[in-house]
Amino acid sequence: MSAGVVLVALLAGAATTVALAGSTTRPGWFLAAGAAVFVVVALGGGLALGRRGGRRRAAAVLGPALGLLVVVAVALIPPPLPAAPAAPGAVVTLPDGARIQVLTLPARGPVSGPPIVVLHGGPGIPELTADVAALGPLTHGGREVVLYAQRGAGASTRLGDPHGYGRDTDVDDLEALRRALGLERMVLLGHSHGAAVATAYAAAHRDRVDRLVLISPAPLDPTDTSPTRAAAGLTLSRRLQLYSAVLAPRPLLGYVLLQTEPSAAHAFLGDTEADLRNDAVLTIAQPALFCQAPPPGTPPVTGSGFYALQYPQSATAAPPADLRPAVRGLPTPALIVKGGCDYLSWRSAVDYRDGLSDARLLHLPDAGHNAHHERPEATRAAITAFLDDRPLPGTVVPPGSTTPPMGYRGPG
């Protein structure tokens, strides 16, 4: 009975905190209100039990309740935060004042075509160090390679209001960045979420896109639930680490608030702390992105953007638009690279191939979601052959085939 009273008090306090956050973004107010309701409910329950069973039963409620309140209060105190490390590359300021971190790798030898602009995944997971290592050698083919951190990630601008994050914003930012860099035409190389952004951009600005390279592209169909399988390949011990990290009081409350009132979540869990916690969670989950373990030298995740990643998936965000109508018949030549261990569905890759009028689908059997990091040589060889109009090396899925090839181990 006493445990039930404490649980009811805890739920009442949590509900009050979340409800009041819809009226004020001041964390002190909604946290104090939640604590007050917790104390009142626990005290009322303790007194009721005391009338029935004496002081001993009342103490059995009030003692643990007050102890729990102290533990939760301490757990909700913001931790000390380290200074941000220096970010590589340059900063480009867009017309709306947003600052975008950009790394430009010059072409080596005679220029052979438009620059390759790399769009990272996530959203909000720049992986610039790993992408430079995997994709930087493409400069040897006479192509400039431009990598950048999308708004809300890396050293790029964070928004004061999470409502501004989303695929449409990323498309608009890419066009603003193209103009700022003076690029006439581009090869867009997108990974996961970045592939969807690249495709949406090509549909809106087809005269600016020379070709598309789409690695483990995010589903075009918003009803495809395979993105929820991102941690499916983790071992039990890794899963327990992941649960421990995401269920800590501060990030858990921040996530809950994000589902109801993003501005209150942002006021409670600021960008610096949220991003550092996000880095830790993503690093724990990193092995699920590969067929085997991450390759030696794979860096931990740094520079991720919690709100850029989580707001578009939150309960308050509008569902993403179905990109299939916009893609249907798009003539931009495209290469789709699909790893045999990718957690995203096979049909998500097929939708791109069947929607685009000039697309080829390449299967890399020993690669996971981060195929370009796990199989960089094979990925670069395929990209180079595609850009040079040569036959693709490896397993090219026949046009019209919807059946995964031998060796595919991901979801259908």
Side-chain angles (χ1 to χ4, degrees), residues 132-138 372 375-386:
V132 167
L135 303 172
L138 292 172
H372 53 314
R375 297 281 307 281
E377 295 85 1
T379 303
R380 288 196 303 268
I383 294 171
T384 301
F386 171 65

Side-chain angles (χ1 to χ4, degrees), residues 252-308:
L252 179 59
L253 179 55
Y255 180 80
V256 171
L257 291 172
L258 185 62
Q259 309 312 307
T260 57
E261 183 46 60
S263 297
H266 189 259
F268 168 70
L269 195 69
D271 285 306
T272 301
E273 180 187 352
D275 294 350
L276 288 172
R277 291 182 181 276
N278 203 48
D279 287 348
V281 167
L282 294 172
T283 299
I284 294 170
Q286 205 172 38
L289 306 179
F290 301 90
C291 259
Q292 305 297 326
T298 299
V301 177
T302 57
S304 69
F306 173 81
Y307 291 102

Side-chain angles (χ1 to χ4, degrees), residues 20-408:
L20 190 59
S23 303
T24 177
T25 58
R26 296 183 179 182
W29 288 22
F30 56 73
L31 290 174
V37 168
F38 174 85
V39 170
V40 168
V41 173
L43 182 61
L47 292 176
L49 289 178
R51 284 195 295 269
R52 295 178 185 177
R55 295 181 179 178
R56 188 169 297 177
R57 294 192 68 183
V61 172
L62 298 178
L66 292 176
L68 179 61
L69 180 62
V70 171
V71 169
V72 172
V74 170
L76 291 177
I77 295 174
L81 300 174
V91 172
V92 174
T93 302
L94 303 186
D96 70 349
R99 294 163 58 84
I100 302 297
Q101 179 188 7
V102 179
L103 281 74
T104 301
L105 309 179
R108 302 193 181 190
V111 174
S112 61
I116 300 170
V117 177
V118 179
L119 288 83
H120 64 75
I125 309 176
E127 299 181 306
L128 295 179
T129 300
D131 281 353
V132 167
L135 303 172
L138 292 172
T139 57
H140 292 284
R143 304 264 185 168
E144 180 180 75
V145 175
V146 178
L147 308 98
Y148 73 100
Q150 295 157 25
R151 187 185 299 237
S156 296
T157 288
R158 301 303 195 268
L159 296 176
D161 182 357
H163 290 92
Y165 292 119
R167 188 172 63 204
D168 291 345
T169 297
D170 292 336
V171 169
D172 291 343
D173 282 351
L174 175 56
E175 171 61 8
L177 183 63
R178 181 198 67 77
R179 292 172 178 268
L181 296 177
L183 306 179
E184 288 298 317
R185 285 173 65 80
M186 307 172 287
V187 172
L188 295 183
L189 192 164
H191 170 237
S192 194
H193 165 77
V197 173
T199 305
Y201 178 89
H205 305 277
R206 63 176 64 185
D207 57 324
R208 298 299 183 183
V209 183
D210 182 68
R211 297 185 183 222
L212 289 168
V213 177
L214 310 173
I215 301 173
S216 306
L220 296 171
D221 180 359
T223 66
D224 187 331
T225 60
S226 60
T228 62
R229 301 181 68 260
L234 294 180
T235 62
L236 178 59
S237 62
R238 280 274 176 172
R239 283 175 182 267
L240 293 176
Q241 290 181 54
L242 188 66
Y243 298 150
S244 176
V246 300
L247 295 178
R250 278 187 64 82
L252 179 59
L253 179 55
Y255 180 80
V256 171
L257 291 172
L258 185 62
Q259 309 312 307
T260 57
E261 183 46 60
S263 297
H266 189 259
F268 168 70
L269 195 69
D271 285 306
T272 301
E273 180 187 352
D275 294 350
L276 288 172
R277 291 182 181 276
N278 203 48
D279 287 348
V281 167
L282 294 172
T283 299
I284 294 170
Q286 205 172 38
L289 306 179
F290 301 90
C291 259
Q292 305 297 326
T298 299
V301 177
T302 57
S304 69
F306 173 81
Y307 291 102
L309 173 62
Q310 294 294 346
Y311 172 72
Q313 306 176 62
S314 70
T316 54
D322 188 340
L323 275 178
R324 288 174 296 179
V327 167
R328 191 171 297 121
L330 187 66
T332 308
L335 168 65
I336 303 156
V337 178
K338 182 70 171 177
C341 302
D342 189 7
Y343 67 84
L344 295 177
S345 67
W346 178 257
R347 70 182 178 92
S348 65
V350 170
D351 279 349
Y352 283 88
R353 185 204 60 190
D354 292 348
L356 295 159
S357 63
D358 183 11
R360 282 160 279 178
L361 174 55
L362 179 73
H363 175 238
L364 289 182
D366 298 322
H369 186 66
N370 284 21
H372 53 314
H373 299 159
E374 189 165 14
R375 297 281 307 281
E377 295 85 1
T379 303
R380 288 196 303 268
I383 294 171
T384 301
F386 171 65
L387 296 180
D388 293 344
D389 290 316
R390 292 186 284 107
L392 296 177
T395 304
V396 179
V397 179
S401 173
T402 59
T403 303
M406 294 291 292
Y408 178 72

